[in-house]
Amino acid sequence: MSDPEQGRVVEFAIGGMTCAACSARLEKVLNRQPGMQANVNLAAERARIRLLGAADEAAVVAAVAKAGFTAAVVDSQTREREKAEKLQVYQREIRRFWISVILTLPLIGQMLLMFGEHGHQNELPRWLQLALATPVQFWIGWRFYDGAYKTLRGGGANMDVLVALGTSMAWGFSTVVTVFGLDQHVYFEAGSAVITLVLLGKLLEARAKARTSEAIESLIRLQPKTARVERDGQWVDMPVEALMPGDLFLVRPGESVPVDGEVVDGESSIDEAMLTGESMPVGKRAGDPVFAATANGQGALRCRATGVGEHTLLAGIIRLVGEAQGSKAPVQRLADRISAIFVPVVCTIALATLAGWWWHSGVFAEALVNAVAVLVIACPCALGLATPTAIMVGTGQGARAGILVKNAEALERAEKIAVLALDKTGTLTSGRPQLTDIVPRGMAGDEALPLAAALEQNSEHPLARAIVAANATVSGKKVANFKSIPGRGVEGEVDGRCLRLGSPDWLDLAADPVVVALQQAGKTVMVLAEGAAVLALFAVADALRPTSKAAVRRLRERGIRVVMLTGDNAATAAAIAAEAGIEEFRAGILPGDKAAAVNELKAGGGLVAMVGDGINDAPALAAADVSFAIGAGSDAAVEAADLTLIRSDLSGVGDAIALSTATLGKIRQNLFFAFIYNVLGIPLAAMGLLNPVVAGAAMALSSVSVVSNSLLLKRWRAGNE
């Protein structure tokens, strides 16, 4: 849910949509309602609606029903319920399809035989043709009439209108000829074949669309249903839903972790590939985090639950992937605008075709057939499916590789990145600095370290943790009048002494030869001082990640300008940048000034992206055109940026850009196929060069080809360009 002041976002399952015109019209209807901001996705059959003011779920359901569709709030059981309902509908439609085939084959067969030597002698009796075609038209094809009625009642038009209108014209003309015994050819086979082929296309499309959501389905299946929980000193099996934060649970060898937690005791290795895409197991011991649905190795782990239900990393991933798959990329706007006016335009073209051919040839039957072909071949389905199916498959593949996409717009922009600004600590480097040097000045190092550690004991900054980790005697030392100065350091009273610990610049020691030498070695220097007296220097080093150099090289090969932003001094920044292969860096930047640095880069032109830890760099991430949070260990990190890289590895940025390129490539291909199909098909039909049966087959093939092309994205793998 969103911030209360911005309303709340509710997801609805939508029933009854058959083409892009449906989703475009429903979205327009909902956005006209007071207090509703809607985004409707045809491929996912979902509507994400932000409810403001007095608007509620009942108002949404009523508005959707008035537009001719059905709506139900998505809950934890919706996916399973929908799956069962869709299976029943699919099986029913399969049966109807085969009945339609059996009834249509004799009509098609006699039509083909008429081209033979004996011509009309092979024609079936017209009353028999009427008997075969009528059940196909009004029983098998009832779904088109029902859909057309609901759409027209709501003030719009969709593919069902085209199919119902076209086939009804063919059936009605043929019936009049049959009943009155007129000397005209009948076209029962055309209407029946079109309905049968369109139904086949819908079945193939439904089967293909089901495959686009496999990524979410596979994630949901990963989480175990039960957990072994400690209750009153006994281990009992309980449903995962019953766990609460703080509960102790046991993960035995070979089992999956039920919820997010922290290891209390035991040692093992856990396969986190489903979260990070990394195949190597990760060692776990007391104090280490574990995540729901990851697979335990050979050891047993006793853990304390920290995140349960909707607050696990897995739940966050599923939620984020679902939101991304339901979002709309800017590239789809053109298709939406065309779909909204498509059906009225096609009906006008069909009417003009009927009038033109009747005037030109004087043969009404010929004019009717050509008008029917125009109606049948013009289907906006391919346009509506072109973008969402590619987004669904692309974001699903990204999730499997540890790349979480918040929305389709971010995925589209990632391909266009010109400048990449990145944080140093935790992004280029491992984020686990270690104390390497203590240089005594006013007191011995073993006396200065406990004082420095006492000042830093409550800080979460990586440099502070390095100082604390190197000291074992913090306990008992109290800090009074503690104060943190962002970007500078900390100060406070320890054992009655007024101390400061921070950067050499802050303590007027930037030009000290020892400080300069340590910085040139790529180390960060902190100074401990009492008043104006310097007590000691502490040097901390944060090693470059093994993959950072290759990741930077890969980004630069794509023509991306890489800029490092760091609060460190120029000498340390230069050493790290040189090691990583980065030519441009900005040093000495305070946390609050990183956003200004990003804005300055944006002023230079081109799309600017920012890579940070998703929390400390939040202002800079928000300022960037595209933001990457690197290394996710909590819900907060998952929600922090446009794209979240669960694996703490800069190479994920290159993978995310490659995924964006691959997905946008498929979208462009799909839109090209959809547009060219209609651009060529409608004129050919209007010129009398397409039989309605051929037009029906082509229409069915267009939607299936677009979805199938999107499914080729399943071949994409991280590390491949």
Side-chain angles (χ1 to χ4, degrees):
M1 295 294 177
S2 15
D3 190 313
E5 294 183 0
Q6 299 178 351
R8 54 198 177 90
V9 176
V10 183
E11 188 174 21
F12 292 83
I14 304 296
M17 293 192 299
T18 57
C19 70
C22 293
S23 57
R25 186 174 59 81
L26 179 58
E27 187 171 291
K28 187 180 295 184
V29 167
L30 290 171
N31 282 323
R32 285 175 182 164
Q33 305 299 314
M36 294 185 197
Q37 297 173 1
N39 185 347
V40 180
N41 186 299
L42 171 65
E45 297 179 338
R46 289 283 193 272
R48 290 185 59 78
I49 302 174
R50 186 180 297 279
L51 299 176
L52 306 167
D56 59 11
E57 289 86 344
V60 173
V61 173
V64 171
K66 190 174 180 181
F69 307 98
T70 61
V73 177
V74 174
D75 56 28
S76 58
Q77 304 301 318
T78 298
R79 197 174 296 277
E80 288 300 320
R81 186 169 61 248
E82 276 188 324
K83 200 172 177 182
E85 289 173 356
K86 284 183 179 179
L87 180 60
Q88 288 181 347
V89 171
Y90 184 77
Q91 290 172 341
R92 184 174 69 244
E93 293 300 315
I94 284 282
R95 288 192 297 271
R96 289 191 176 187
F97 167 72
W98 285 114
I99 293 171
S100 186
V101 168
I102 292 169
L103 294 172
T104 303
L105 278 178
L107 298 172
I108 298 294
Q110 59 98 26
M111 182 188 73
L112 296 174
L113 290 173
M114 285 175 63
F115 292 106
E117 185 179 345
H118 300 289
H120 286 282
Q121 294 180 14
N122 296 315
E123 184 180 6
L124 291 175
R126 291 186 175 180
W127 286 101
L128 177 57
Q129 291 187 51
L130 175 61
L132 291 170
T134 301
V136 176
Q137 184 70 40
F138 296 105
W139 177 47
I140 304 297
W142 179 252
R143 58 179 287 166
F144 302 113
Y145 289 101
D146 183 53
Y149 168 72
K150 289 178 177 176
T151 304
L152 291 170
R153 185 187 66 184
N158 65 356
M159 181 206 74
D160 291 336
V161 174
L162 298 178
V163 175
L165 186 59
T167 58
S168 294
M169 287 169 64
W171 182 89
F173 174 80
S174 301
T175 300
V176 169
V177 169
T178 301
V179 171
F180 292 100
L182 303 179
D183 186 20
Q184 293 281 350
H185 182 68
V186 292
Y187 298 96
F188 287 117
E189 80 284 344
S192 296
V194 165
I195 288 174
T196 303
L197 288 168
V198 172
L199 189 56
L200 173 62
K202 285 292 178 186
L203 290 170
L204 293 174
E205 180 187 308
R207 187 174 177 181
K209 279 167 64 177
R211 291 180 59 197
T212 63
S213 59
E214 282 180 358
I216 285 188
E217 295 290 343
S218 62
L219 287 173
I220 291 172
R221 287 194 297 267
L222 287 171
Q223 188 166 18
K225 302 296 183 185
T226 61
R228 196 156 182 80
V229 184
E230 188 174 9
R231 285 286 186 269
D232 300 324
Q234 301 293 321
W235 292 105
V236 295
D237 289 329
M238 294 178 59
V240 168
E241 295 81 9
L243 264 70
M244 299 291 289
D247 282 345
L248 293 175
F249 62 90
L250 181 67
V251 187
R252 291 171 292 193
E255 290 184 339
S256 293
V257 179
V259 295
D260 288 3
E262 181 180 300
V263 178
V264 176
D265 57 58
E267 287 192 24
S268 186
S269 59
I270 288 185
D271 181 358
E272 296 181 346
M274 50 75 60
L275 290 179
T276 65
E278 179 59 57
S279 58
M280 291 298 293
V282 180
K284 300 290 182 180
R285 60 182 64 184
D288 288 339
V290 293
F291 302 106
T294 54
N296 187 26
Q298 298 302 312
L301 296 173
R302 186 164 164 262
C303 310
R304 179 177 289 104
T306 57
V308 300
E310 292 299 310
H311 300 288
T312 64
L313 180 59
L314 177 66
I317 293 172
I318 293 171
R319 182 173 62 253
L320 209 59
V321 172
E323 289 175 3
Q325 291 185 342
S327 62
K328 191 170 292 187
V331 73
Q332 191 178 345
R333 290 170 187 157
L334 176 61
D336 285 348
R337 287 196 296 270
I338 291 173
S339 297
I341 61 170
F342 190 81
V343 175
V345 169
V346 168
C347 288
T348 303
I349 294 173
L351 188 61
T353 301
L354 177 66
W357 274 96
W358 196 3
W359 174 80
H360 173 71
S361 66
V363 181
F364 179 76
E366 185 179 8
L368 178 72
V369 168
N370 293 334
V372 168
V374 170
L375 290 170
V376 169
I377 196 156
C379 174
C381 282
L383 279 175
L385 293 169
T387 300
T389 52
I391 292 294
M392 289 176 75
V393 179
T395 52
Q397 289 299 102
R400 290 179 176 178
I403 303 166
L404 301 183
V405 182
K406 181 169 284 186
N407 55 60
E409 187 174 356
L411 186 63
E412 181 175 334
R413 288 199 306 264
E415 182 197 35
K416 304 168 186 172
I417 292 171
V419 182
L420 182 71
L422 45 85
D423 182 42
K424 176 179 74 70
T425 304
T427 302
L428 276 172
T429 62
S430 65
R432 293 188 293 271
Q434 294 182 331
L435 182 65
T436 58
D437 302 89
I438 302 177
V439 181
R441 285 289 171 93
M443 64 167 50
D446 57 354
E447 295 178 10
L449 181 58
L451 297 175
L455 280 173
E456 298 282 25
Q457 60 187 305
N458 295 318
S459 174
E460 288 299 315
H461 193 282
L463 298 179
R465 289 200 296 267
I467 297 287
V468 174
N471 178 71
T473 59
V474 173
S475 57
K477 291 190 179 294
K478 303 295 183 182
V479 182
N481 300 319
F482 177 82
K483 185 179 180 181
S484 176
I485 296 88
R488 300 298 185 186
V490 296
E491 61 184 20
E493 294 181 24
V494 180
D495 293 343
R497 308 177 70 165
C498 295
L499 303 174
R500 290 188 295 169
L501 177 67
S503 69
D505 290 337
W506 185 38
L507 296 165
D508 299 322
L509 216 64
D512 186 287
V514 177
V515 170
V516 172
L518 290 170
Q519 290 174 343
Q520 288 175 342
K523 300 178 181 181
T524 300
V525 179
M526 291 181 285
V527 181
L528 178 66
E530 183 176 10
V534 176
L535 303 181
L537 306 179
F538 299 92
V540 174
D542 187 9
L544 199 70
R545 292 185 189 276
T547 56
S548 290
K549 190 172 183 178
V552 169
R553 182 171 62 249
R554 180 184 178 190
L555 291 167
R556 294 184 62 184
E557 286 172 353
R558 293 186 69 98
I560 295 173
R561 173 185 164 202
V562 181
V563 182
M564 184 179 79
L565 305 179
T566 178
D568 237 328
N569 62 85
T572 303
I576 294 294
E579 189 180 355
I582 297 174
E583 295 180 353
E584 188 177 350
F585 63 88
R586 311 282 174 87
I589 297 180
L590 301 178
D593 295 335
K594 284 187 180 179
V598 169
N599 286 324
E600 183 184 330
L601 291 171
K602 287 169 69 175
L607 212 68
V608 176
M610 172 69 189
V611 188
D613 65 8
I615 299 172
N616 296 338
D617 298 312
L621 291 168
D625 295 308
V626 184
S627 54
F628 296 86
I630 189 166
S634 67
D635 278 358
V638 170
E639 302 289 348
D642 294 327
L643 296 100
T644 301
L645 312 174
I646 297 181
R647 189 172 63 219
S648 297
D649 188 338
L650 188 62
S651 61
V653 176
D655 289 334
I657 296 171
L659 176 64
S660 171
T661 302
T663 304
L664 266 293
K666 285 299 175 192
I667 289 175
R668 293 188 187 103
Q669 291 171 16
N670 287 347
L671 289 174
F672 173 78
F673 291 149
F675 279 121
I676 203 70
Y677 161 82
N678 284 296
V679 166
L680 294 177
I682 293 176
L684 287 174
M687 289 187 293
L689 300 176
L690 278 181
N691 182 282
V693 175
V694 176
M699 186 194 75
L701 184 62
S702 67
S703 296
V704 175
S705 63
V706 163
V707 179
S708 300
N709 189 49
S710 294
L711 288 170
L712 293 177
L713 269 174
K714 286 181 174 285
R715 298 177 179 177
W716 182 87
R717 294 291 182 271
N720 296 333
E721 293 294 334

